[in-house]
Each structure stands twice: as C-alpha cells, then as structure tokens.
Amino acid sequence: MVVRGRLAKPYGLSWAISLALLLAVSASSAGAAESVPSGKLPAGATPTHYQLELTVIPSEDRFQGRVKIDVTLDQATRLIWLHGRDLAAEQASVVTADGTSVPATFQEIDDSGYAKLQTERPVGPGDVSLVIDYSAPFNQSPEGLFQVTRDNRAYAYTQFQPLRARRTFPSFDEPRFKTPFDIAVTVAGDDIAISNAPERETEALGEGRRRVVFETTAPLPTYLIALAVGDFDVVEWDPIPPNAQRTRPLPLRGIAAKGKGGQLAYALEQTAAMLAILEDYFGSPYPYAKLDIVAVENFGPGGMENAGAIFYRPEFVLFGDAPSIFQLRGYAYIHAHELAHSWFGNLVTPAWWDDLWLNEAFATWMADRVVHAWRPEAFDNRGPVRGTNRALWSDRLGSARQIRQPIESDHDVSNAFDIITYTKGGSVLAMIEQYLGREAFRDGVRLFMARHGHGVATAEDFFAALSESAQDPDVLRAFRSFVEQPGTPRVQVDWRCDASGGAEVTLKQSRGLPPGSHGKAGQRWSIPLCLAYPDDETRHSRCLVMGAPETTVSLDTKSCPAWILPNEQGAAYLTFTLPEPGWDALIADFERLAPSEALALVGSVGAAYEAGLVDTSRLIAVARQAARSRHWDVARAPMADLRELKVLILPREQRPAALALLRDIYRPTLAQFDLSDAALAREEANSDRALLRAELLWFLALDAEDPALHAQLSRLAQAAVGYGGDGAFRQDVLHPNLLRAGLIAGLQEVGLPFAEFLIARLQDSDDAVLRNHILRALAFQTNPALVQRVWELILDPDFPRRDASRLLRHQGDRADNREVLFDWIVANHEAITQRLPRSHLAWLPWRAWTFCDLNSRDRVEAFFGPHAAEHQGGPRALANVLEAIEICAAVQQAQRADAVQAVAAGE
C-alpha cells in the first residue's frame, strides 16, 4: 500500500495513507477460563480455506453474506475466537468432520473487532467448518466494504489493510493466516463484480440478479482480498506476453467507473514493461492468474496491492489529454510500488505486523529501481537520497518509531504505516544493497522468495537468506542496527595532515538530535560509508563499516584534502558535520559533487543547522549553491529549510526581508526560462527542466511572494478554468504542471468569489485530478474569509468525507493558520470527528504541528491528551506532535537572533 512528507509533514505516502489495527484468533479448550484476547493470539485454531458468498447491491444500505471457514482445531473446545465488526449474525454453526452441524452463537465483543463463536457442545479436535450467515451496513468511509455514488451510479469497493476484512466477513484477520478463498458474489442489473481471481462462471438467478463465481485464489491473507461491484467500464487490454520467467500470457484489464474506461489506456500500456523488470529482478513469474488495474472512487490510500486486482485512487491511473508531469510521476512510482508487492507482501507475507516493513520498505526501494530502469531519461536513481532527507524530520524525534517496531498494542499497527516504514526503510535497503553489491543482494532476495513463496516469513527469515547469500556478517550487523533502533546517525568528521600531506581522519558517531528532542544520544550503528576527498586534482574514496563510537582512518594523500565528504554518492543513511573550513570548502566545491552528494550535503547542513552546529549564513550559502543546480531535486532541496526559516524561525516583522532573500536566491535560476504567457502554456523540453520550472515558479510565486509571477499565474489560472467567462476548462492557457500554483495564486488575489466558482466546479466535476488541485488550493489559503468557507465545507454533511479530510489535513500545514485553526478544532471537535474517516482521527493533533512555542504545546496536550487513546495510533501521533513543537521552540530560541542578522545582511 502506498502512503506519502516537510512543510507538509507528516505525509501520511503521501503519500494519502490508510490506517487501522490488528489482533487475532484463538481456540479455547473446554473448561478454560474465558478472557478477551489481546495482541497476537495463541495457536489453537488455524483456518485452511474460506468459502465466501456475498450479495452486494451498492444502491442498498446493507449487504448480506455467508462465510464457511475450514479450520483445524488443536483440541476440543466450545469457544473459538475470531474477528468481526459491525456484522449482524443471523445464524451460526460448526460442521464437524462427520457432517454434523452443531448450533453456535456469534458475538462481537469490542470495537477492536474481536468476536467469539460459542457452540452448544465441544467440537474438535481436528478439522471443522465454521458457518455464519450475516448482514452488515456498507461503510461510507474507505474501509471494509464501502459505498460510493458517482453520476447517480452506486459502486462498492473493499479496503481491508491492515485489519478491516473483519468489517466485511467473520474471519481470522491476521497476516499469518494465508489460505485459498472461493468467492461468489450476487449482483443486480448490469453490475460487474471484480475480485482477486478470474471469473469462472455466471449464473442467472432471476429478478435481474446474477451470481458471479470466481476461481479459487492462491493462498492469501484476509487483508489482500479484494472486491469491486458496480456498472463499470472494463477495458480488456492485450495480454502481457510470456517471457523468460513466465511461460503463459498474463490477462490484463482496467476497471473504472462508467464513462472513465478510456482514461486507463496510459496506465495499462506501461504495465507490461514495468512487470518485466520486476520478473527479471526476482527471477520468477508474476504469481497470480490475472492482473486488474482498478480505479476506485473515493479511495483512501494511493494504491492497494490486492493480489490480482490492484486498487488505485483515480488521479493516479486515469489520464486526460494533457496530464501533468507530477501525475505521470505519481503513477509511475505508485504503480511500480504496488506491482512490487506482488512478490514482497503478497507472494511472501509477513507473519505479523512488526515485519510490515518487509512489504513497504522493499516496495518503496524497488519502485525507485523499476522506474529508473523503465525510463532512465525521465527518472533518475536518486530516490533513496531524497527519501533520506524526507525521513530525517521524523527520525530526529525521540518518539520516532524504529523500522521494525514491536507490535505491542492496538495503536502500533496504525503507527506502522508511516514515513519511517516506507521512506527510511527504502533508503536503508538502498544503503545495504550498495554496500553488499547488487548481485549478492538480489541473490539473497531470490533465495528468500524461493523458500517462502505463497507462505509467511519474518525478518529473521530474510536476514538468514541475505546472510547465506552475502556470507558477510558485517552486513547483517549493519542492517540490524538500522532496522531495530530508531534515529539517524550523525557522523562528525575532522582531520589533520602531516608534513607530507597525508591525512588522519577522525570519525565520531552519535544520534543526530536537535535541541528539544527526547531521543537518547548514546546509540550506535554499524554504518557502511565511503569517504570521498580530492587529492592532486583527482578524486578518491575510502570505504569502511564504522561500528565503534570513534574510528580513525589514514588517507595516503599527497596534499591535505580541502574537504572530506563522508557520504559518497549519498548512499548511507546518515547526516554529517564538518569543521568550519571543511564546510566552507565543500560548499565552495558544490558544482563538482554528484547530484546525489549535493542532496546529502543539503540534508546534512539542514540537520546541523537545526542542531545548532552551523549558523544561518552557512544554511543560506548552501541554499545559494543548490539553487543554481540544473537538477530539479538539488535546486528544490533547500526550499524546505528556507520555508521554515521564513515562517518558524524569523519573527513576523522580518517577513519582508525573508521574502527578499528567497527571491534573491532563486530568481537567477528562473531567468533561464522563457516566462511569457505562451511559454507557460507549453511543456518544457525534458522532464528535468519541466520539474525545475514548476518548482521554481511555485517557490517564487507562493513562498517568496514575487508579485509579478504571482499575478501572472493568477491571471492564467483564472483564464484556464474559465472564471469570468464561459466556465470552460482550457488546457492550452496554463500548462497542467503549473495549474495548482496558479489556482492558489488566483484565490489569494481574487478571494471568495473565485473560491465559490471553484467550489461549484468541485461539486460538479468527476475529474479526480482537477478536484485534487481545487481541494489543495482551497486548503492553502490564509485569508480569513476563505478559511471560514473551507471550515463550512469540512462540516457540510453533503460534502464528501474524504474531501473534508483532505481540506483539514492540508490547511493544517499552513503556519499562518495555526492559531485560528486550533481554536476552531477545539470549538468543533465533536462535529469534526463525525465528519472524518475513522482511520484519520488519530492524526487530528498533527493539525497543530506548526506551533512553535511551549505555551501552545501545553494547550495542544491539554486538549488532545484526553482524546488520544480513543483512536488507533493516537498516543504516538500526539507524542510526535508535542515533541515537534518543543523542538521548533528550542531551535527558534537558539537560532532567531543569528537568523535575523543574517537575513537582514542578505547573506
């Protein structure tokens, strides 16, 4: 599953993210004391097969079901624990091996989804079948089996990860239980049913209803079961041809709401090439009988890897005539991520949620590899370095999770779907692969897949396969040190040279912590790193695994190195600090660094600034160097630090000086572009320039508030959407890459009348991309009248709940809104919680993350503290927010005076 990142922290993959919890199943022996399970349940009842019959009419309020679960009982019992939530059982029984049906009762116990099946007399040991008839309401949020209406047509879809299958059928809802499923669905009228396996047959039932029967699935956990029902467009694409790994053609289809099937062509057309890269890497075929790409209306996560039927938010797979480069890139990364799950997660499933990272970190890392191999001219190989810089913000918190986090409570599963699991995990994997070598690492992955295919596995199983392949104990020590503890190592570098020029380098490691952090400073890692340094106009490197608190390395140089970069190619997950002359020399030599190294340098300077180890002038100096880069991500890298300097470090009265500095840093780079109206309607020649232009225009017009650029984007955006004219959307007026920035600028200049125009478009349009642009533009505003209008939408019962959540989430990223937004949340908390999807409630405190003083921190704790434990993942989310506020306050106090002086001087 994909979730998504710095002045829009936290993304919850971005990413939009799906949250929930865990818990399990047990068989209680006859006469044993009855107690409600907690955490991972002991062995006793093991499911071996599901037969699931559903009647799904999306226009109705409820659906009906019958589930038959074949189970092996270890001993005789009258009580079997399983899962179910909001299911109304009509009758239940247990069928024994000899065919006897023993009456039973099915009872849900608590909101976690525990349920018990209690029989009239003991059953087992051995094989039995649990049979339960039930009905349930459709959910209105994207969890369980949920209902969506578009264009007067009703649709139903599922979202079961992590533990929402229990909302749709009684089940043993844990990842360790992988079984085959036989699924049949009764539908009405022209509705089509889609599930994990190919359709086997359809039976007419009369009264306009049909029973659709699917082939038996491969063994799957409950969270990977998928169902979609509605009057869909089904696009039958050419099967993906056989190749060296797969001997059969693979059926490929696209499914979308009625009238949208034609927009799936691009997503379908690119799939074969991406899948071939994955099959080649794993050395094994795609493991399922077919592949459906399903655009899911009102979906929560960006994508969900259901085996054989991958679900996506529409904006990631439905393309109009002129998609933006951001939509194309979003599709590529998310599609590659979900396809990679076909192996990591689906073929081999974690035995428990503490190894969720084996799914998500690998899919994140693999997506970077796939898109670069697929289109190297459009996708660089610097994704892991960008990921490191994104993860640093969360990883500096003492309340940060470790990648492999023990699951000890209901809250831990929800917390596991975060930037640490996905982004830090992916970057650490890239580091280990770089150290070990691509072939050795790949061979370990293949061995893991071969041993555990269609089964479950743990991190220990993966470590064992990698160790056997690598035959290098250092790599496992390094891997474990990053996976099994939180935080980011900071490597302090210093060196001395003798008379001949030879250098003795001292490396010291500690946890990188800013003031105000609750983290423990005494941690140690085994860090694979390479030192890069110049000598006689040539560049050299020296690699090592640093396991001790302090290490000394001798360099046989002819002249004393002016600088030493302790993260060659940005490959290691770390930040570094240098002596002042070392910083200055490295920044001065910025253009000679590889782009990945430039990213690592910017990230380390930002972390050192926050920790009080460099001053504001050095932060600005590296920003000026990066801003001149022709690489979009390098030029963009300092923008997050500069935004925080502007809105969090400097006092409000210094805003004009801050804006002047921001323009001075980035205006020279923008000067290389044609900024005429005609040019802004066209695409740039290549992806790097297109991305660079879009990033520069956004930053200068919206963050630096350049009046001329702001007015130009505003005017063009209004014309593009037909404001003040015929209301027709014209894609030849402002390129889609620039439309969101233009809409934001237009709202800032025109105000409420333009907002009402866009809200009407939002309510009338079924274009997921345009709707997303409008929502984000509305949420970006700080004008009191516009903020009030956004609040009205959030609380409007006729406004989609998912859209309301997006508005609130992104409005909370605006520091200038923090006081009024917090007061509004306090005054309307009960109404707000009724409007948000349940899985989003734990993250409500993050709307206060831009506070930067301890009085506000105490207010946030006083209000949200009593509510945190009510929502899965709430306690850690609140702890993260409170600590982030404390850090901001401490950094502001430490750096403000210096920042005021440096910005005033324009340094």
Side-chain angles (χ1 to χ4, degrees):
M1 181 169 66
V2 172
V3 281
R4 291 236 164 228
R6 212 153 133 146
L7 237 277
K9 319 168 183 111
Y11 269 71
L13 54 212
S14 115
W15 21 208
I17 336 179
S18 240
L19 301 165
L21 70 359
L22 65 119
L23 313 171
V25 189
S26 170
S28 174
S29 62
E34 178 183 328
S35 61
V36 178
S38 177
K40 187 177 181 180
L41 298 176
T46 304
T48 58
H49 180 268
Y50 285 78
Q51 185 174 322
L52 182 61
E53 290 267 356
L54 294 170
T55 298
V56 180
I57 314 299
S59 59
E60 297 181 352
D61 294 331
R62 300 178 69 83
F63 63 92
Q64 293 74 43
R66 163 179 265 217
V67 65
K68 177 185 175 186
I69 313 173
D70 296 336
V71 174
T72 299
L73 298 177
D74 290 351
Q75 55 189 333
T77 184
R78 289 188 57 216
L79 177 63
I80 301 171
W81 286 102
L82 69 166
H83 289 102
R85 185 168 179 184
D86 301 329
L87 308 177
E90 296 162 7
Q91 65 177 25
S93 62
V94 175
V95 179
T96 62
D98 63 3
T100 302
S101 179
V102 180
T105 58
F106 175 84
Q107 180 184 358
E108 297 180 10
I109 302 303
D110 59 25
D111 289 341
S112 297
Y114 288 115
K116 61 181 181 180
L117 191 71
Q118 197 147 14
T119 57
E120 288 185 353
R121 62 174 177 80
V123 293
D127 297 335
V128 300
S129 297
L130 319 183
V131 182
I132 304 168
D133 295 314
Y134 65 97
S135 67
F138 288 106
N139 278 297
Q140 301 307 306
S141 297
E143 50 190 26
L145 181 56
F146 65 96
Q147 183 183 56
V148 179
T149 300
R150 286 283 184 269
D151 299 328
N152 298 315
R153 289 185 174 89
Y155 301 90
Y157 308 93
T158 55
Q159 171 56 23
F160 289 162
Q161 191 180 46
L163 293 178
R164 298 186 184 122
R166 64 192 66 179
R167 296 180 181 273
T168 302
F169 58 98
S171 54
F172 293 77
D173 198 13
E174 286 190 28
R176 63 183 167 128
F177 296 122
K178 291 182 78 169
T179 77
F181 279 74
D182 280 301
I183 299 173
V185 185
T186 296
V187 300
D190 295 327
D191 281 356
I192 293 166
I194 306 295
S195 191
N196 304 87
E199 183 179 319
R200 186 173 72 213
E201 62 185 19
T202 299
E203 174 188 359
L205 299 179
E207 299 182 350
R209 294 194 174 191
R210 294 171 291 111
R211 180 173 178 266
V212 182
V213 182
F214 298 96
E215 300 283 357
T216 303
T217 71
L220 296 174
T222 49
Y223 82 85
L224 288 175
I225 296 301
L227 182 67
V229 175
D231 187 10
F232 296 117
D233 283 351
V234 178
V235 181
E236 299 280 355
W237 205 253
D238 291 338
I240 299 176
N243 55 30
Q245 284 74 39
R246 181 171 30 81
T247 58
R248 56 179 176 82
L250 177 65
L252 175 64
R253 300 187 302 179
I255 292 93
K258 197 70 172 181
K260 297 183 179 180
Q263 299 176 48
L264 283 162
Y266 180 84
L268 290 165
E269 186 177 19
Q270 312 309 317
T271 298
M274 290 191 188
L275 196 70
I277 294 167
L278 286 161
E279 290 180 315
D280 179 67
Y281 183 85
F282 288 107
S284 62
Y286 170 80
Y288 302 103
K290 52 102 174 170
L291 176 57
D292 290 338
I293 296 172
V294 186
V296 178
E297 300 294 324
N298 199 34
F299 202 40
M304 178 62 212
E305 64 268 20
N306 306 310
I310 304 177
F311 285 8
Y312 294 92
R313 270 213 315 261
E315 59 262 39
F316 289 113
V317 291
L318 299 181
F319 292 89
D321 295 333
S324 74
I325 194 168
F326 300 104
Q327 187 189 9
L328 293 170
R329 288 174 68 85
Y331 156 77
Y333 281 106
I334 285 178
H335 195 36
H337 180 109
E338 303 305 339
L339 288 172
H341 273 311
S342 300
W343 287 264
F344 263 105
N346 297 11
L347 180 62
V348 180
T349 304
W352 189 239
W353 296 107
D354 51 6
D355 283 325
L356 172 73
W357 70 277
L358 282 173
N359 290 11
E360 302 300 350
F362 270 87
T364 301
W365 162 76
M366 184 59 79
D368 284 310
R369 171 186 289 279
V370 168
V371 298
H372 179 62
W374 170 55
R375 288 188 56 195
E377 78 287 355
F379 294 91
D380 57 64
N381 60 357
R382 300 189 293 274
V385 191
R386 291 193 293 269
T388 294
N389 285 356
R390 287 197 304 274
L392 293 176
W393 192 90
S394 293
D395 214 18
R396 79 214 166 122
L397 302 175
S399 52
R401 296 172 55 257
Q402 58 199 50
I403 294 173
R404 191 189 190 194
Q405 181 71 35
I407 299 300
E408 298 173 347
S409 75
D410 296 0
H411 299 287
D412 291 327
V413 168
S414 292
N415 295 135
F417 291 85
D418 69 354
I419 197 169
I420 298 298
T421 293
Y422 287 73
T423 309
K424 177 182 177 180
S427 296
V428 167
L429 285 169
M431 174 182 68
I432 297 300
E433 184 205 29
Q434 175 82 4
Y435 166 74
L436 192 58
R438 286 195 165 197
E439 289 190 6
F441 189 83
R442 182 204 61 199
D443 291 346
V445 170
R446 289 180 174 182
L447 180 60
F448 177 70
M449 290 292 159
R451 285 177 173 170
H452 304 287
H454 292 300
V456 299
T458 67
E460 298 303 325
D461 296 320
F462 180 73
F463 291 149
L466 196 63
S467 177
E468 186 172 327
S469 171
Q471 298 182 345
D472 183 348
D474 283 345
V475 72
L476 290 188
R477 282 194 289 271
F479 209 167
R480 286 183 180 277
S481 73
F482 281 88
V483 168
E484 295 178 347
Q485 64 177 335
T488 305
R490 175 191 294 145
V491 177
Q492 177 185 338
V493 185
D494 205 348
W495 64 97
R496 292 194 235 180
C497 297
D498 57 28
S500 66
E504 184 175 270
V505 184
T506 301
L507 306 173
K508 297 178 181 179
Q509 64 159 300
S510 61
R511 180 171 177 179
L513 295 171
S517 172
H518 299 171
K520 298 177 181 179
Q523 293 177 221
R524 296 291 179 266
W525 289 261
S526 289
I527 311 171
L529 60 84
C530 293
L531 309 177
Y533 54 94
D535 185 30
D536 273 0
E537 301 301 318
T538 62
R539 177 174 162 140
H540 302 267
S541 65
R542 171 75 179 275
C543 299
L544 68 150
V545 175
M546 181 183 178
E550 182 173 332
T551 301
T552 300
V553 178
S554 296
L555 304 180
D556 187 19
T557 49
K558 297 182 178 63
S559 59
C560 193
W563 52 260
I564 294 177
L565 173 70
N567 195 2
E568 187 174 35
Q569 297 302 319
Y573 185 84
L574 57 80
T575 66
F576 58 84
T577 64
L578 303 172
E580 288 192 5
W583 281 123
D584 294 338
L586 190 57
I587 293 170
D589 227 7
F590 192 92
E591 293 182 0
R592 294 179 60 185
L593 300 178
S596 56
E597 294 169 339
L599 289 171
L601 172 58
V602 173
S604 287
V605 170
Y609 180 73
E610 193 174 54
L613 302 174
V614 300
D615 60 13
T616 309
S617 63
R618 193 158 281 115
L619 183 79
I620 294 170
V622 78
R624 288 188 183 278
Q625 290 280 32
R628 292 199 287 265
S629 175
R630 63 183 178 85
H631 300 288
W632 69 275
D633 52 344
V634 176
R636 184 188 68 174
M639 291 179 180
D641 291 322
L642 294 173
R643 288 186 184 105
E644 293 185 4
L645 179 67
K646 166 191 161 185
V647 302
L648 298 179
I649 304 299
L650 292 167
R652 180 77 190 200
E653 59 268 21
Q654 293 295 315
R655 187 68 58 86
L659 296 176
L661 174 66
L662 268 53
R663 295 170 199 163
D664 187 55
I665 291 172
Y666 277 99
R667 257 294 190 176
T669 308
L670 187 63
Q672 66 180 280
F673 292 94
D674 181 352
L675 298 179
S676 66
D677 286 358
L680 296 190
R682 298 191 300 264
E683 176 66 281
E684 275 293 325
N686 60 59
S687 61
D688 221 29
R689 283 184 60 82
L691 288 163
L692 179 59
R693 181 181 72 169
E695 295 286 356
L696 291 171
L697 282 170
W698 177 291
F699 187 79
L700 282 162
L702 302 180
D703 293 297
E705 301 176 29
D706 183 287
L709 291 174
H710 193 278
Q712 183 183 17
L713 287 176
S714 170
R715 172 173 50 81
L716 292 175
Q718 292 174 59
V721 297
Y723 178 67
D726 60 5
F729 185 34
R730 295 177 175 83
Q731 296 188 358
D732 60 348
V733 175
L734 182 64
H735 194 274
N737 294 352
L738 311 176
L739 181 60
R740 185 182 300 176
L743 293 176
I744 291 170
L747 284 165
Q748 290 173 336
E749 294 212 355
V750 179
L752 199 56
F754 191 39
E756 295 297 350
F757 171 82
L758 291 178
I759 291 168
R761 291 295 299 270
L762 186 68
Q763 294 169 334
D764 294 341
S765 175
D766 64 352
D767 183 328
V769 175
L770 180 60
R771 288 176 55 80
N772 193 40
H773 284 325
I774 293 173
L775 287 167
R776 295 291 294 271
L778 288 168
F780 195 88
Q781 304 307 309
T782 58
N783 177 308
L786 295 183
V787 169
Q788 181 66 41
R789 186 68 178 97
V790 167
W791 292 347
E792 292 172 3
L793 287 175
I794 292 170
L795 297 181
D796 183 347
D798 295 326
F799 192 70
R801 295 175 71 189
R802 177 69 190 175
D803 291 347
S805 180
R806 289 187 189 180
L807 283 175
L808 182 56
R809 181 171 76 250
H810 296 299
Q811 192 180 56
D813 293 332
R814 303 291 290 151
D816 290 341
N817 285 342
R818 58 195 176 195
E819 295 286 348
V820 294
L821 179 61
F822 180 73
D823 289 344
W824 177 76
I825 289 173
V826 170
N828 296 275
H829 184 256
E830 184 174 354
I832 292 167
T833 58
Q834 295 302 312
R835 290 286 297 135
L836 298 185
R838 279 175 289 194
S839 58
H840 294 195
L841 295 177
W843 300 93
L844 196 54
W846 275 110
R847 307 292 67 81
W849 77 267
T850 56
F851 278 119
C852 202
D853 65 281
L854 297 183
N855 287 335
S856 295
R857 179 251 180 241
D858 293 343
R859 290 170 57 211
V860 172
E861 182 179 35
F863 179 71
F864 285 113
H867 300 289
E870 299 170 2
H871 311 301
Q872 291 127 25
R876 186 183 291 273
L878 179 58
N880 288 165
V881 172
L882 296 177
E883 190 178 1
I885 296 171
E886 293 169 19
I887 290 172
C888 185
V891 174
Q892 183 189 90
Q893 182 179 12
Q895 294 284 19
R896 174 167 280 187
D898 174 68
V900 168
Q901 183 177 356
V903 170
E907 294 180 353

